[in-house]
Amino acid sequence: MPQKISYEFDTVRLWSERGILFCQFLGGNINQQLIEKDVHQYLEIIDQLAKGECMPLLVDLRDVVGSFSIDAAKILINNTSYQKNILCEAFVTNKINNKLLVLSYKRIYEPDKQYRIFNTFKEALDYCEAKKKVEV
């Protein structure tokens, strides 16, 4: 079984497991803003973890209070490696403001990438597993 490789920063943990990329925002109820410098760093790690494969991405936003800069959103959407490596996105959140943030981002910046928003980690993981099987 392949070893799980994990990268942890002050506010984010990124890892790959069972053909799925995971992104967990850390720190609980702190106010976070995703900025350009961080996006570049996270994109490099995602590229390393994906190893050229197209994988689902599960983003855990539970208990996170935050936003993203417009420039950070543009960097993410215009990054060819990210677009090539990410099959679909599953967002887990328990806060209405995060649901609205994801919906706004997807509508404005990335309307074509498949995504869903879930209330539980298990539902999001099941979605990623199903998408992965369809792609194979």
Side-chain angles (χ1 to χ4, degrees):
M1 175 174 251
Q3 181 181 2
K4 178 176 119 178
I5 299 171
S6 178
Y7 296 87
E8 192 165 318
F9 303 93
D10 289 342
T11 57
V12 173
R13 179 182 306 124
L14 299 162
W15 74 96
S16 173
E17 194 173 357
R18 300 184 330 230
I20 298 172
L21 292 166
F22 294 87
C23 176
Q24 178 184 23
F25 285 84
L26 306 171
N29 292 308
I30 62 172
N31 191 20
Q32 299 179 33
Q33 183 178 33
L34 186 59
I35 58 175
E36 305 88 89
K37 159 181 91 65
D38 295 337
V39 171
H40 286 296
Q41 192 173 29
Y42 303 158
L43 287 170
E44 286 179 28
I45 299 301
I46 288 170
D47 194 45
Q48 290 174 26
L49 290 169
K51 299 177 185 169
E53 291 183 45
C54 189
M55 305 167 94
L57 173 66
L58 192 156
V59 181
D60 188 349
L61 297 170
R62 291 175 293 180
D63 297 323
V64 171
V65 178
S67 63
F68 58 88
S69 73
I70 292 171
D71 289 337
K74 288 179 181 177
I75 291 167
L76 191 60
I77 188 62
N78 291 317
N79 185 276
T80 55
S81 178
Y82 181 82
Q83 296 305 320
K84 177 186 70 162
N85 288 328
I86 304 303
L87 172 66
C88 63
E89 297 161 323
F91 297 91
V92 183
T93 185
N94 55 356
K95 295 187 176 295
I96 189 69
N97 60 325
N98 287 342
K99 288 180 183 180
L100 294 173
L101 182 69
V102 170
L103 289 169
S104 296
Y105 166 77
K106 298 305 285 183
R107 182 178 52 82
I108 295 169
Y109 296 105
E110 198 179 27
D112 297 329
K113 173 110 27 223
Q114 293 181 30
Y115 77 97
R116 298 255 326 256
I117 301 171
F118 299 94
N119 295 319
T120 70
F121 189 86
K122 181 175 179 348
E123 291 172 317
L125 185 60
D126 290 346
Y127 171 77
C128 289
E129 292 283 352
K131 287 294 187 180
K132 192 175 71 169
K133 287 179 184 173
V134 170
E135 190 65 19
V136 173

